Amino acid sequence: MSTVDTFGRPIRDLRISVTDRCNFRCVYCMPKEVFGRGYRFMDRKELLTFEEIERLARAFVANGVEKVRITGGEPLLRRDLEVLIERLVAIGGLDVALTTNGTLLPQKAEALRAAGLNRVTVSLDSLDDETFRAMNDVGFPVARVLEGIDAAASAGLAVKVNAVVKRGVNDDQILDLARHFHGSGHILRYIEYMDVGGTNGWRLDDVVPAAEVVATVDAELPLEPADENYRGEVARRWRFRDGGGEIGVIASVTQPFCGDCTRSRISAEGRLYTCLFASVGHDLRAVVRGGADDAELHDFIARIWGRRSDRYSEIRSSRTAELPRVEMSYIGG
Ligand code: SAM
Ligand code: SF4
Ligand code: SF4
């Protein structure tokens, strides 16, 4: 039986951040001014171990979780990540996914696939090299992310591509991205730039509404709406009318979807957050390291989820913009 929150939303998804570190400094996520020299990242001993993550994952599954997404920071920076994937797949009945910037996929794709991973989401915001280098802010070239995508596909992993669209930065890339992935078998998803964290200087004017993205693509590559794959699916799906596959839009700002939100998140140090915009996490690591048995762990999670009433995106306003909240690189998106 699934644990439900105060609005009757079941806990179905768990996103696990395995590191707060990253080899990129995307301007909308880890701006250099904040995450540059002197920023204090977590120590190794603060991170949940793979054993602890597996134990927690089992407790979430016992509460009704069906899908786990590994994220970060950049999750492939965590050494031997495939070992964790193998452990999570071995739980059984769990859909395991990974979100990555793709930089390490050429080295890692085969091992991930061998560990039982079926799919990856690769973030790529632009096909224009100059724009992409400026967005990741470490000068990383587009071609190497495309190599990562190819390596994943060759290893047998299904690939989705995530592109965050920021006004005046990469909105001129919307069509190029669609053209590139049209007919490729990879599903491209455009994400509205969100006001996560407190360091990216987010302004509503920087958001390109999903409706505008769809209209831009549709003008050249005609689209038709496709049905939801399942209740609570974050991306709205659009099919190319010519059979060239589909795209998705994640309209967290202009069309919030809190009503169906079934997602829980744990940070790399084991704090449980019931909303992407929460400011306070619940210390699961202390519970695990304090010697709780499986039933106690299950009940701890059930109690927190049972009290949940988050719906930040639906009540977003100038007032909520002032509230403190955790960074995307900490909680993993
Ligand atoms: N490093 C990995 C990556 O970039 O795919 C995984 C972690 S990253 C925080 C997860 C996702 O969040 C990425 O697709 C990224 O583009 C997205 N993201 C980060 N900051 C965002 C923001 N301010 N608004 C919308 N999406 C954001
Ligand atoms: Fe790193 Fe991903 Fe954040 Fe970019 S979006 S800085 S790749 S964690
Ligand atoms: Fe879920 Fe919070 Fe996002 Fe709403 S704002 S969809 S409750 S994570």
Side-chain angles (χ1 to χ4, degrees):
M1 252 272 294
S2 273
T3 302
V4 295
D5 69 8
T6 59
F7 295 138
R9 297 172 296 188
I11 184 167
R12 289 241 187 280
D13 313 85
L14 173 62
R15 297 186 178 202
I16 304 172
S17 171
V18 292
T19 177
D20 60 342
R21 292 171 198 257
C22 189
N23 50 350
F24 279 9
R25 286 292 176 273
C26 301
V27 289
Y28 51 73
C29 180
M30 295 180 79
K32 261 188 191 156
E33 310 83 75
V34 179
F35 293 90
R37 224 179 278 279
Y39 184 82
R40 191 192 162 275
F41 290 98
M42 291 172 204
D43 282 342
R44 218 182 143 75
K45 61 179 184 310
E46 294 179 83
L47 302 179
L48 291 176
T49 64
F50 288 171
E51 289 76 11
E52 289 168 340
I53 293 176
E54 181 194 335
R55 238 196 111 205
L56 281 169
R58 287 183 185 274
F60 277 87
V61 169
N63 272 292
V65 161
E66 298 167 350
K67 187 169 152 191
V68 167
R69 178 171 294 281
I70 304 297
T71 174
E74 174 43 44
L76 294 180
L77 290 181
R78 180 84 185 246
R79 199 184 306 155
D80 302 326
L81 188 75
E82 59 277 14
V83 174
L84 175 64
I85 301 283
E86 203 167 347
R87 281 170 172 261
L88 295 175
V89 170
I91 293 175
L94 196 55
D95 179 15
V96 182
L98 170 77
T99 303
T100 170
N101 61 24
T103 52
L104 296 170
L105 279 174
Q107 295 97 294
K108 283 287 194 176
E110 291 287 349
L112 292 168
R113 179 73 185 117
L117 190 71
N118 292 321
R119 56 205 183 82
V120 284
T121 300
V122 181
S123 302
L124 176 62
D125 305 322
S126 171
L127 288 169
D128 175 71
D129 206 47
E130 199 181 326
T131 306
F132 185 62
R133 285 173 190 260
M135 284 185 88
N136 64 55
D137 213 11
V138 294
F140 200 87
V142 171
R144 288 191 39 210
V145 177
L146 293 175
E147 276 168 33
I149 291 175
D150 289 347
S154 306
L157 294 162
V159 179
K160 284 185 185 156
V161 177
N162 274 1
V164 175
V165 186
K166 191 172 175 193
R167 176 81 70 198
V169 176
N170 65 335
D171 47 349
D172 60 341
Q173 286 294 301
I174 293 170
L175 247 181
D176 275 355
L177 283 160
R179 286 187 196 119
H180 184 88
F181 290 106
H182 174 261
S184 68
H186 309 323
I187 299 176
L188 169 64
R189 300 183 317 170
Y190 299 92
I191 306 179
E192 285 180 352
Y193 173 44
M194 283 187 288
D195 48 337
V196 276
T199 60
N200 62 11
W202 183 89
R203 295 176 319 134
L204 189 57
D205 290 350
D206 295 332
V207 178
V208 179
E212 184 180 325
V213 171
V214 171
T216 305
V217 176
D218 180 59
E220 182 177 310
L221 295 164
L223 295 167
E224 60 191 8
D227 290 338
E228 268 189 341
N229 282 321
Y230 52 87
R231 183 186 159 208
E233 189 173 26
V234 178
R236 297 196 181 201
R237 302 170 57 211
W238 294 83
R239 223 183 340 251
F240 291 117
R241 285 180 189 266
D242 66 2
E246 64 181 73
I247 61 163
V249 287
I250 302 181
S252 350
V253 178
T254 62
Q255 297 159 31
F257 35 74
C258 301
D260 273 340
C261 179
T262 56
R263 287 175 294 283
S264 56
R265 299 172 156 90
I266 25 187
S267 69
E269 59 184 350
R271 290 188 167 270
L272 168 60
Y273 291 85
T274 55
C275 177
L276 188 49
F277 298 92
S279 51
V280 181
H282 306 268
D283 195 352
L284 287 175
R285 188 184 63 190
V287 180
V288 170
R289 294 190 183 169
D293 65 22
D294 290 348
E296 285 164 341
L297 206 49
H298 169 279
D299 293 352
F300 184 81
I301 295 163
R303 262 199 311 281
I304 291 166
W305 192 265
R307 288 202 301 259
R308 177 187 193 240
S309 61
D310 304 282
R311 53 187 198 93
Y312 177 89
S313 287
E314 287 181 352
I315 56 170
R316 175 185 279 119
S317 67
S318 49
R319 262 186 324 112
T320 53
E322 304 298 318
L323 298 174
R325 60 190 96 102
V326 293
E327 295 300 322
M328 194 74 151
S329 53
Y330 174 84
I331 204 170

